[in-house]
């Protein structure tokens, strides 16, 4: 993600100016007496930008009334309980007495592998979304609240409800910015996108019966129709009523999110100010197939799908019968790179088709580096990742990518559209993820400097696919847009690198710590340093420029850009899998437990998290495995190793982050004190 305009003051410290630590803790103790159970609030868990507590832990909260139910409870039980609970503890979070604390819930309730329930909430005011303020409520299966995690903010109830700036006026200003020529820079090179001609304007496609209802405009020169809605954007100290638009460029290589003032504070009503404007697309660092890349083995004929023994994960109970589902379906005597999970194209051409024999079989056996081979390879990689993550709990009800959801849960109609362009394309590699029910789009292209194609490298495809997973599990199903702050974006990159490397390392005798080395034809790969235990960057270095990272040979390191900062998160997760493997004395269990904890942690992580918020979610996911996937003794050893990994990279018990920006990150190497709970 690239931010072009941000008028928010991310250095604003509302906690000091408005609340104060002692006042905060007094409210927590008083509210705990009112709800009749223990509430745990820590000064270090306060988001200084909003002045609200980012995590409120509960001990002894009541479960649902009545005897346990043998059948899973409806989502409505958890949603109602979560909303009522947050209302009851609102003052402990940071809301003032009698201040509106209005929330709407995502109708889909997430469940982790160990049965924890996660309700995703969105803060509202006057029926309008308070953008980015979306906490999650963690509950046990019986309804016992474990904690409330994520951002909220106090905003004035007197904020305007009716816009002073029309949607058309705001759209004209935002579209002019989105239509500007753009230079895409990345490790694969630089690409230029030309300016767009928007002189013909835009027309409304839908009416807006109420101010808090969305509307849509024609696409004009852009790739898709332009959605619009009103939101409140917290700026630091105050909030603004704003129009929110999404603009898509060709092939979704760029998806701009634009916030334009709607409250009429600008001196010229015909030239409203853009408050926040960024590219939300996740760019890359960016059958006979290469199973990872040409350096990791020759072209190999594999079945589509391969047997479950080819996956490093185990098939859990509860998946649809016959998993993994067929990747293709024969139609009119042919079979194509088109199925329920993925539709793979060769640039602008149709999916690759081959005839089906008398036995009902078909083999995609194209020439190496032909357009058809590239399509076949990206089809294989994306389907493989679909099945891999489905076995870890990224299933239909939690927003996975499928045309038809056989369980009837989730929305469907959203397979990955994977394009293997037979030429260089702007951005070289990217993944655009949208809300559940809207197809994701992946683009892979030729790297000009090496003349190698990203569709043949699992490092790149796996990384991009992971953006879709993290965007939906953290961002929620409503808009898959929960990784927008600087640390959050960086973790999106780090999660992608971690899975790309750890999946292949599962079956390798020697750990691979360099990413993308084949596709750029450089043994150093595309990151600043290898992801080994000696990786020099830590949480304390976030925001540091070249020359500010101590240590011999570190003068060239830079941690002011999301891909580079994401390296710190990936290095930490790589260390986590090493520590877990040692604690369990088993490589297979070490990797599988770590993968599951990371995916469960994604489900628990609220929108726009800091590294420390995501750290705590992983630790809680591991805790939930005690007595299930792990014995108590194993859990103790794994927990110790996990804290050692986080502390090694500056995310120890004494680390601090004022918010999820790059400002004010304070590293810590301390282990938790005896008796502390994660």
């Amino acid at each position: 993600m690239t931010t072009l305009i941000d008028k928010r003051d991310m250095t604003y410290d509302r906690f000091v100016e408005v609340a104060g630590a002692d006042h905060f803790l007094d409210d927590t103790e008083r509210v705990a007496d009112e709800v009749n159970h223990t509430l745990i609030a820590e000064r270090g868990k306060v988001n200084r930008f909003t002045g609200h507590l980012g995590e409120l832990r509960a001990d002894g909260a009541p479960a649902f009334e009545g005897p346990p139910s043998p059948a899973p409870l409806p989502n409505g039980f958890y949603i109602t309980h979560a909303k009522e609970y947050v209302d009851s503890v609102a003052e402990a979070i940071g809301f003032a007495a009698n201040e509106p604390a209005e929330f709407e819930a995502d109708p889909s309730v997430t469940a982790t592998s160990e049965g924890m329930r996660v309700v995703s909430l969105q803060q509202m005011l006057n029926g309008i979304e308070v953008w980015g303020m979306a906490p999650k409520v963690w509950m046990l299966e019986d309804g016992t609240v474990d904690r409330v995690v994520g951002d909220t903010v106090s905003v004035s109830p007197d904020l305007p409800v009716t816009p002073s700036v029309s949607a058309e006026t705001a759209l004209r200003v935002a579209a002019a910015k989105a239509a500007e020529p753009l230079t895409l820079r990345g490790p694969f090179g630089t690409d230029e996108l030309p300016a767009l001609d928007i002189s013909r304007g835009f027309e409304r496609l839908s009416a807006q019966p109420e101010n808090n209802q969305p509307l849509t405009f024609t696409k004009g020169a852009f790739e898709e129709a332009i959605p619009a809605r009103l939101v409140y954007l917290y700026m630091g100290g105050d909030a603004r009523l704003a129009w929110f638009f999404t603009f898509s460029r060709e092939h979704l290589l760029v998806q701009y999110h634009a916030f334009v003032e709607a409250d009429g504070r600008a001196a010229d009503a015909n030239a409203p100010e853009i408050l926040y404007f960024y590219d939300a697309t996740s760019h890359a660092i960016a059958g006979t197939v290469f199973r990872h890349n040409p350096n990791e083995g020759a072209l190999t004929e594999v079945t589509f799908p391969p047997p479950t023994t080819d996956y490093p994960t185990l098939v859990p109970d509860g998946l649809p019968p016959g998993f993994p589902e067929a990747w293709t379906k024969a139609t009119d005597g042919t079979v194509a790179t088109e199925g329920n999970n993925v539709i793979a194209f060769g640039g602008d051409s149709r999916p690759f088709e081959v005839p089906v024999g008398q036995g009902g079989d078909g083999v995609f056996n194209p020439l190496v580096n032909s357009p058809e081979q590239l399509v076949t390879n990206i089809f294989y990689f994306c389907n493989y990742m679909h099945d891999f993550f489905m076995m870890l709990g990224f299933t239909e009800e939690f927003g996975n990518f499928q045309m038809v959801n056989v369980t009837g849960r989730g929305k469907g109609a959203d397979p990955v559209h994977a394009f293997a362009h037979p030429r260089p394309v702007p951005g070289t590699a990217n993944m655009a993820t949208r809300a559940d029910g809207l197809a994701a789009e992946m683009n892979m292209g030729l790297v000009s400097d090496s003349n190698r194609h990203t569709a043949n490298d699992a490092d790149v495809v796996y990384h991009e696919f992971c953006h879709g997973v993290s965007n939906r599990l953290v961002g929620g199903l409503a808009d898959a847009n929960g990784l927008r702050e600087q640390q959050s974006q960086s973790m999106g990159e780090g999660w992608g690198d971690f899975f790309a490397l750890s999946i292949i390392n599962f079956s390798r005798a020697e750990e691979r710590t360099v990413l993308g080395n084949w596709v750029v034809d450089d043994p150093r790969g595309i990151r600043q340093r290898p992801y080994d235990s000696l990786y020099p960057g830590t949480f304390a270095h976030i925001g540091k420029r070249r020359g500010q990272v101590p240590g011999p040979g570190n003068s060239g390191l830079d941690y002011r850009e999301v891909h580079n900062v994401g390296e710190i998160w990936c290095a930490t997760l790589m260390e986590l899998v090493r520590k877990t493997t040692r604690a369990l004395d088993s490589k297979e269990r070490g990797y599988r437990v770590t993968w599951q904890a990371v995916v469960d942690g994604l489900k628990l992580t609220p929108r726009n998290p800091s590294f420390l918020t995501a750290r705590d979610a992983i630790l809680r996911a591991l805790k939930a495995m005690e007595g299930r996937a792990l014995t108590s003794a194993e859990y103790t050893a794994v927990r110790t190793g996990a804290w050692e990994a986080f502390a090694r990279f500056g995310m120890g018990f004494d680390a601090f982050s004022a918010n999820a920006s790059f400002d004010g990150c304070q590293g810590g190497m301390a282990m938790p004190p005896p008796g502390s709970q994660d």
Side-chain angles (χ1 to χ4, degrees):
M1 177 184 134
T2 302
T3 299
L4 283 77
I5 298 172
D6 191 353
K7 299 296 179 66
R8 300 174 304 162
D9 181 7
M10 295 302 294
T11 64
Y12 177 75
D13 196 333
R14 182 167 186 159
F15 180 55
V16 169
E17 184 166 322
V18 179
D22 294 335
H23 170 72
F24 213 98
L25 297 179
D26 289 344
D27 280 345
T28 302
E29 294 174 2
R30 177 178 53 78
V31 174
D33 290 338
E34 293 174 0
V35 297
N36 198 31
H37 62 264
T38 301
L39 298 175
I40 303 168
E42 301 174 21
R43 287 182 176 85
K45 301 293 187 181
V46 175
N47 183 321
R48 309 302 286 248
F49 177 59
T50 66
H52 278 205
L53 194 64
E55 176 181 294
L56 179 68
R57 291 165 54 187
D59 186 7
F64 292 131
E65 296 182 358
S69 171
L73 293 170
N75 286 350
F77 279 71
Y78 296 102
I79 290 172
T80 299
H81 190 46
K83 293 173 71 174
E84 290 176 346
Y85 187 82
V86 170
D87 184 64
S88 71
V89 299
E91 289 182 59
I93 293 172
F95 291 97
N98 301 318
E99 181 183 350
E102 176 188 347
F103 293 92
E104 289 185 358
D106 190 314
S108 298
V109 176
T110 304
T112 71
S113 65
E114 302 303 334
M116 291 188 69
R117 299 300 195 272
V118 185
V119 176
S120 298
L121 301 177
Q122 171 61 59
Q123 185 177 345
M124 310 290 289
L125 179 67
N126 304 319
I128 297 173
E129 169 189 341
V130 183
W131 189 84
M133 305 302 156
K136 289 185 176 181
V137 182
W138 302 358
M139 288 183 279
L140 304 183
E141 197 167 1
D142 64 2
T144 301
V145 173
D146 182 272
R147 69 191 71 182
V148 181
V149 183
D151 290 332
T152 57
V153 69
S154 293
V155 291
S156 170
D158 298 326
L159 286 172
V161 176
T162 303
S164 299
V165 176
S166 71
E168 284 78 4
T169 299
L171 173 61
R172 185 176 65 251
V173 171
K177 182 65 178 176
E180 290 178 355
L182 174 69
T183 300
L184 292 177
R185 293 184 175 90
F188 300 121
T190 299
D191 296 291
E192 303 292 338
L193 297 185
L196 299 178
D197 180 4
I198 59 170
S199 60
R200 295 185 179 182
F202 309 91
E203 296 180 3
R204 287 198 187 202
L205 289 175
S206 61
Q208 189 184 29
E210 302 288 343
N211 286 332
N212 59 354
Q213 298 298 310
L215 64 155
T216 307
F217 289 89
T218 54
K219 67 179 183 178
F222 295 97
E223 184 80 354
E224 297 184 332
I226 302 167
R229 69 179 189 271
L230 285 170
V231 301
Y232 291 119
L233 179 66
Y234 177 64
M235 305 294 293
D238 72 341
R240 303 283 301 274
L241 182 66
W243 286 107
F244 174 79
F245 303 99
T246 299
F247 300 93
S248 301
R249 299 283 297 248
E250 181 182 3
H251 287 299
L252 277 65
L253 294 170
V254 175
Q255 274 201 313
Y256 288 125
H257 287 178
F259 298 78
V260 182
E261 65 166 325
D263 49 14
R265 296 192 196 178
D268 185 352
N270 292 316
E273 183 181 26
I274 298 176
L275 303 176
Y276 189 23
F277 190 97
Y278 61 85
D279 173 15
T281 307
S282 302
H283 291 284
I285 22 189
T288 302
V289 297
F290 293 111
R291 301 186 69 169
H292 202 90
N293 65 47
N295 271 1
E296 302 286 341
L299 282 168
T300 304
E301 185 174 309
V302 298
T303 59
F304 284 10
T308 56
T309 53
D310 276 16
Y311 296 88
T313 40
L314 299 175
V315 182
D317 295 333
L319 291 183
F323 176 86
E325 177 185 298
W327 290 358
T328 59
K329 181 174 65 175
T331 305
D332 297 327
T334 63
V335 65
T337 53
E338 179 176 5
N340 198 42
N341 315 323
V342 182
I343 305 175
F345 306 85
D348 299 326
S349 64
R350 291 177 51 80
F352 175 35
E353 293 184 349
V354 296
V356 175
Q358 292 184 351
D361 58 340
V363 177
F364 300 95
N365 189 24
L367 296 175
V368 64
N369 285 328
S370 67
E372 293 79 11
Q373 186 262 311
L374 299 174
V375 171
T376 303
N377 235 89
I378 197 173
F379 184 73
Y380 168 79
F381 285 150
C382 287
N383 273 289
Y384 187 91
M385 289 297 276
H386 169 276
D387 293 349
F388 171 84
F389 278 112
M390 195 163 179
M391 285 186 258
L392 291 172
F394 185 48
T395 52
E396 296 172 353
E397 62 266 45
F398 304 134
N400 74 353
F401 304 107
Q402 292 185 177
M403 179 63 74
V404 177
N405 291 353
V406 296
T407 65
R409 301 169 182 169
K411 293 186 176 180
D414 57 356
V416 173
H417 289 180
F419 290 86
H421 301 278
R423 59 187 180 278
V425 294
T428 306
N430 79 296
M431 174 83 160
T433 314
R434 298 179 287 185
D436 190 26
L438 297 173
E441 185 164 317
M442 178 185 289
N443 291 279
M444 293 287 146
L446 194 68
V447 178
S448 299
D449 289 346
S450 66
N451 201 36
R452 294 178 175 182
H453 204 287
T454 54
N456 275 342
D457 195 342
D459 284 3
V460 184
V461 179
Y462 287 6
H463 173 102
E464 293 303 330
F465 196 98
C466 286
H467 277 301
V469 178
S470 59
N471 282 336
R472 284 204 172 167
L473 289 183
V474 175
L477 307 186
D479 62 8
N481 186 35
L483 295 172
R484 300 278 66 90
E485 299 297 352
Q486 290 173 313
Q487 290 187 46
S488 314
Q489 302 164 37
S490 301
M491 285 189 291
E493 304 300 335
W495 278 310
D497 284 6
F498 167 68
F499 279 107
L501 284 172
S502 59
I503 288 172
I504 188 172
N505 281 337
F506 181 86
S507 56
R508 282 175 58 99
E510 182 179 349
E511 182 185 55
R512 186 157 73 88
T513 58
V514 174
L515 190 82
N517 53 306
W518 175 80
V519 78
V520 295
D521 195 17
D522 186 335
R524 297 169 298 179
I526 54 178
R527 295 306 189 209
Q528 295 185 103
R529 292 290 174 83
Y531 286 126
D532 54 28
S533 294
L534 299 177
Y535 183 87
T538 73
F539 186 72
H541 298 136
I542 292 178
K544 304 292 185 185
R545 63 174 59 88
R546 287 179 175 85
Q548 294 184 324
V549 179
N554 293 340
S555 61
L557 296 176
D558 186 282
Y559 291 108
R560 296 175 297 162
E561 188 272 336
V562 295
H563 291 90
N564 293 353
V565 175
E567 293 178 20
I568 298 170
W569 186 243
C570 177
T572 305
L573 298 181
M574 293 285 283
E575 190 69 9
L576 175 62
V577 81
R578 296 181 194 112
K579 294 286 188 181
T580 306
T581 295
R582 294 188 193 112
L584 298 177
D585 194 26
S586 167
K587 182 176 181 179
E588 289 187 356
R589 292 191 67 207
Y591 274 68
R592 288 167 179 166
V593 165
T594 304
W595 285 332
Q596 192 64 70
V598 171
V599 172
D600 284 353
L602 286 167
K603 294 179 179 180
L604 296 170
T605 302
R607 287 177 177 236
N608 297 319
S610 69
F611 277 39
L612 304 183
T613 302
R615 173 203 67 186
D616 293 347
I618 291 174
L619 290 166
R620 186 60 183 87
L622 287 170
K623 173 65 177 174
M625 295 182 184
E626 184 179 12
R628 298 191 181 198
L630 299 171
T631 67
S632 292
E634 288 174 336
Y635 166 69
T636 298
V638 168
R639 177 183 182 270
T640 298
W643 269 112
E644 289 173 348
F646 286 117
R648 158 66 183 84
F649 289 98
M651 286 170 266
F653 195 77
D654 54 339
F656 173 76
S657 181
N659 49 53
S661 73
F662 288 166
D663 298 311
C665 296
Q666 298 176 21
M669 311 292 286
M671 294 291 286
S676 64
Q677 297 294 315
D678 300 325

